[in-house]
Each structure stands twice: as C-alpha cells, then as structure tokens.
Amino acid sequence: MRLKTSLVAGAVVGAVMLAGCGSGDSNTASTPTGDAAAATQGTAALTIAKPDGALATESNNPWVGDSSGLKLGYINAILEPLGVVNLIDPTKPTQPWLASDIAWADDYKSVVLTARDGVKWNDGQAFSAADIGFTFDLFMKHKELDTAALGLKAVKVEGNKVTLTFANSMYVKQDKVLHKQIVPKHVWEKVADPAKEVNLKPVGTGPYTLSQFSTQSVELTARNDYWGGTPAVPKLYYVSYNDNTALTTALANGDADWAQAFIPNVKSAYVDKDAEHNVYWAANGLGIDAMFVNTTTKPFNDVAFRKAINMVVDREKHMAIAREGGVPALTSVTGLPTPVGDSYIASAYQGQNYSVDVEGAKKVLTDAGYTYSGDKLLDKEGAPVTFTLQVPQGWNDYVTGISLIADEVKALGVEAAVKTPDADTWWAAKGKGDFQAILHWTDTGATPYDLYSDIMDGRFLKPAGKEADFNFGRFDSPEATAALNAYANATSDDARKTALDTVQKVFVEQVPAMPVGTRPFIGSYNTRNYVGWPGEQDPYAPADPTQPSAVLILTKLKPAS
C-alpha cells in the first residue's frame, strides 16, 4: 500500500533556525536539484486536478487569490520564486531558485539576493536583478499586493544583486519573502493597476508556457529553452472537477495524475485501485485545525473550563472519523504537528501527548468551583453549562469534527449545540467575535510562529464587532504577545528558544484554543509515467501542485522506466 500520512520518523531534531538560512549565511546553487537539463523528456502529459468546479474566467494574476492561475496552481509552472523553503521540514536548507545566492543579515531585517545568470523570460528577454527589484517595488507601491505584510522599507538594485530592507525581522517570514514569484519589469511596468490586471499572456521564467485556456481545462507546454533544461513532462493539463467525488473517480481511473484534495476513504477509493502506482501523501506542516473559543464570554472566559474541554477532545477519533484516516493525528500537547515540529517542542513538554481524561477534566472543574446536579454541569453561579459550535454547512469534515466534540463534552455534563450556517454568515461572525466556538485553521509557516500567533497574538486583537484577521477568540495575553514578538525579532538561537518556551507555556497552561487535528499538505499522484515525486522517503517538498514549490517537483520528475 502506498498510503503515506507522516514524514520520515527520523526528522532532524536540532537548531530552531532554518538550516542554511542562518544569520550571515548564504545559500548558493547553480541549477535546480531536479537536474532537468539531464532528464529525458517523456511522451505522456500530466493532468493536474482540483475539485473547485468549472472556471468562470481566466486570470493569471499572481497576487489575486481568486485568479484561475492561483486557484488551479498553474501559475507556479510559469512564474518562479526566489528560493524554495521546505515547509514540511524547515530544518533543510533553502533551495535557491531565481536567486542563486540568498544572504540574510544577522537580524533578518535585510537580505541580499543575487540574480541567477542565464535565465530568460519566455518572450526571449533576459531576466535580471532589475526584475526582482521591480517586483518588490510593486509591493511597496501597492500595499494590497503585499498580502504577507512584509513591511518593506527599501529596495536597492546594484548590478546583479538586490538588497531588500524590512521594518522588522523576517526570520518567521523567510518563506513569505522567498516564495514571492518574480514578474518581468518590461511587461508589468506598463500595467496601471497590478491588482486588477488579468495577465492573459503571462510572461514567466518557469519551465512551462500557457498554450490554451478554456473553462474545462488549461494547457501548458514545456519550454525547450528553460534555464534548468527541458522538463521531462511535455504537456500539463490543469482540470477542475465539480467536487471531491468526481475528482477521486478521475484519480482512481487514471484520468487525473496529480491533485491536491481531501479524499474520503482514500485507501479503498484511490490507493487500492492501483496499489503499485497510486500514492496519497499527507505531510505535516506547521499548521493545524483548532477549536477557536470566545475567551471574553461564558463559558470560555474561564481557563479551568477551557482546560477541561481540552482534556476530553479525542484527537485520534477526529483523525479516524472526521478526516477518515487521511491525515496524521495531532499528538503533542504543544499543538505542534510531528515530526515537523519536533525540534521546536520545549523540553518541558517533550514526550507529553494528548489523551482523553474525563475524570481528570471533572476534577479540574470541581476544583474551580463547578458543581453537578445529577449528570449536568453547573457553573459557579449554579447555571447549566452550555455552548454552541458552528461551522459552515457543506464543510463535511468540519461538521463531523464539531459533532464529535459536542458528543465528547457530554461526558462532562455539558450540552453543546451544533449549528451550520451558510459560509458568509459564519465568516462574518467569526471575524467579529460573534460566536462561542468554531473550528478553524491556522496558517502554515516555516516556523511555529504562525500557528501560535494566529491563535493568541495581541497584534490581531480587535473589540467585539470589529473584524479580526486572526485571534478570533480575543485571547488577551501581554505575556504571549511579548514572547511572540521576541521570537520573531531574536538574533540568536538561544533567544528564540527562550521566547518559544514562554509561548508554549502560555499555550499549554492557558488553552487559548483547543488544537484538534493536523492540517497537512495533501497530495495524490501516480508513478505510472513519471517518477521523482516527493514522498515519505524523500520529503523534499509538499506534494501539493498549488504551492510555489511545485516548480521544484516539475523539474525533478523523470520518465518511469
């Protein structure tokens, strides 16, 4: 069976920093590690799929989230990043790409990028440092394009080098900087409003060009003048199926070759259809699904109640039922997925894993002043304890997830109602803090910063009724906020470790949210025509065609013998 739901068990445990991207260090490479130049081109096309329904209109804007290029992921084969950060093993060195050398300052407030020689845009013009500088200048002039809030202060181009200077340390945002896809100055300097540009004839440095677009599929053709050599796959077809069921059928019968989608009953529905070639790999990154709770109102304004609920959530059951065994279970009490997060877990919490403890949870409650009337939990004022869980209708795994939690808290004498409003209603209530409990995700980054910041960082705090980007539960901890800021701006590994230890202590002891499950990078592919895919034995990148690292995969593929 080729069902893979974890990284290599022996993932490196060591320095907290990104190896090879350390202070004062630089990364240098002359060609992609895929050695595309030496690859023999195959004859079979590769069909890459998503379950998002028919495409309405074409847009190849690399910054607008609902553009067809970003939604299907084909922009990642046309435009390229400066470097590729391995988000499923951040201890690995960054792979230089359009920047042949990446040198961060000790404080990570600046980086010097060396433009790779010998690269051409697909319209024949030479790529240069001016293109890198122009792209980042766009983020300074058009703040709406800077979705990662990089806070650029200056861009300086000197010869083949570009120096980017930031207002704050980019230690926790190295991937956000380096994964920015570079656009050609000679094309985009003529665009009046880059946020609205549809870019129907995309010019890129990547290994493929856009050859045909329709609402049914998008065709890309391999370049024979690509700087890394001619890719092994001659044609790419990007297709969007109506739903997960249709996509799963296409994968199982071979109509689709590579996809990023959750597949229910993945073993029987897909893997076993061709156990020799079909692979499903869910590789943990540093992001999770969590139950965000409103810490400003009853019952979740009481840390004792939050602790008790956290003690009865069954993560193994969530993995097996809500996610149908298709993702790794979440185990560490720090909320960090393993093994990708192993090197970040504080010594105080090494080996401490979640387990269901109903009796222990009841003791936490009664010690805090809660009482029982029969089997019903009463709060300190003698009122029955209830709360409501909400996720949008149609989000089946999330609906199952909150239903499981509602059932689990009954063991404490708590009644939890499950509501499934439409997505727009839920989204508005989430941002304004108009909820008691919701299931939501955290961002995934190259460090644990995003996970913890999204849940408890004071920089996201907004009054009830005002839209919050994260920290939806309005958890207010100056200690956590200060530690997160210290971690992001530290200039040594020791300082980062000290700050992260504090972050985890607050997270574990005060339970600002309840981690429920992993949120891995999911990829399904087959090895019938091409090999060289990332996987458990070679986790060089997430097997997700919608990520900027997809270009690395495309240059590593070789025809199957």
Side-chain angles (χ1 to χ4, degrees), residues 398-419:
Y398 269 28
V399 172
T400 302
I402 64 171
S403 299
L404 289 172
I405 294 171
D407 187 59
E408 288 156 3
V409 301
K410 288 179 181 177
L412 298 179
V414 177
E415 285 296 325
V418 170
K419 290 188 177 181

Side-chain angles (χ1 to χ4, degrees), residues 406-489:
D407 187 59
E408 288 156 3
V409 301
K410 288 179 181 177
L412 298 179
V414 177
E415 285 296 325
V418 170
K419 290 188 177 181
T420 56
D422 64 84
D424 288 343
T425 299
W426 177 85
W427 199 271
K430 172 200 73 172
K432 293 178 180 178
D434 185 17
F435 65 89
Q436 288 183 298
I438 58 171
L439 202 58
H440 198 279
W441 58 89
T442 69
D443 288 328
T444 298
T447 74
Y449 176 84
D450 286 333
L451 188 160
Y452 292 126
S453 178
D454 287 355
I455 290 173
M456 57 181 184
D457 200 334
R459 69 190 175 98
F460 292 120
L461 276 177
K462 292 288 191 298
K466 299 293 185 180
E467 192 76 21
D469 294 328
F470 263 110
N471 192 355
F472 308 116
R474 273 67 177 175
F475 179 72
D476 190 356
S477 170
E479 182 183 17
T481 300
L484 284 162
N485 189 56
Y487 179 76
N489 291 285

Side-chain angles (χ1 to χ4, degrees), residues 288-291 306-323 327-335 353-357 404-405 408 507 511 513-518:
I288 60 171
D289 285 328
M291 186 168 78
R306 298 198 300 268
K307 285 181 177 180
I309 295 299
N310 200 37
M311 292 169 71
V312 299
V313 174
D314 191 334
R315 279 87 180 174
E316 290 286 341
K317 185 182 289 186
H318 179 86
M319 177 270 292
I321 298 176
R323 303 307 300 272
V327 302
L330 187 64
T331 56
S332 171
V333 297
T334 63
N353 292 333
Y354 288 121
S355 62
V356 176
D357 184 3
L404 289 172
I405 294 171
E408 288 156 3
F507 187 82
V511 196
M514 294 83 195
V516 173
T518 60

Side-chain angles (χ1 to χ4, degrees), residues 214-289:
S214 74
T215 56
Q216 284 74 43
S217 68
V218 180
E219 179 191 83
L220 270 62
T221 302
R223 292 175 60 180
N224 58 16
D225 63 343
Y226 177 56
W227 62 271
T230 303
V233 184
K235 294 275 187 183
L236 303 177
Y237 292 97
Y238 288 80
V239 179
S240 186
Y241 291 90
N242 285 335
D243 51 35
N244 275 356
T245 300
L247 174 56
T248 301
T249 300
L251 284 166
N253 64 25
D255 288 338
D257 300 299
W258 186 13
Q260 179 267 318
F262 174 70
I263 300 178
N265 303 307
V266 63
K267 184 178 182 297
S268 60
Y270 171 60
V271 174
D272 288 349
K273 300 298 184 184
D274 184 354
E276 182 181 355
H277 299 106
N278 288 351
V279 179
Y280 173 89
W281 186 40
N284 274 338
L286 292 170
I288 60 171
D289 285 328

Side-chain angles (χ1 to χ4, degrees), residues 6 59 65 88 135-136 164 176 185 251 277 292 343 363 448 474 506 514 539:
S6 66
S59 172
I88 56 176
T135 300
F136 281 90
L164 305 178
K176 309 296 192 297
K185 177 181 179 182
L251 284 166
H277 299 106
F292 284 74
S343 63
K363 186 175 188 307
R474 273 67 177 175
V506 174
M514 294 83 195

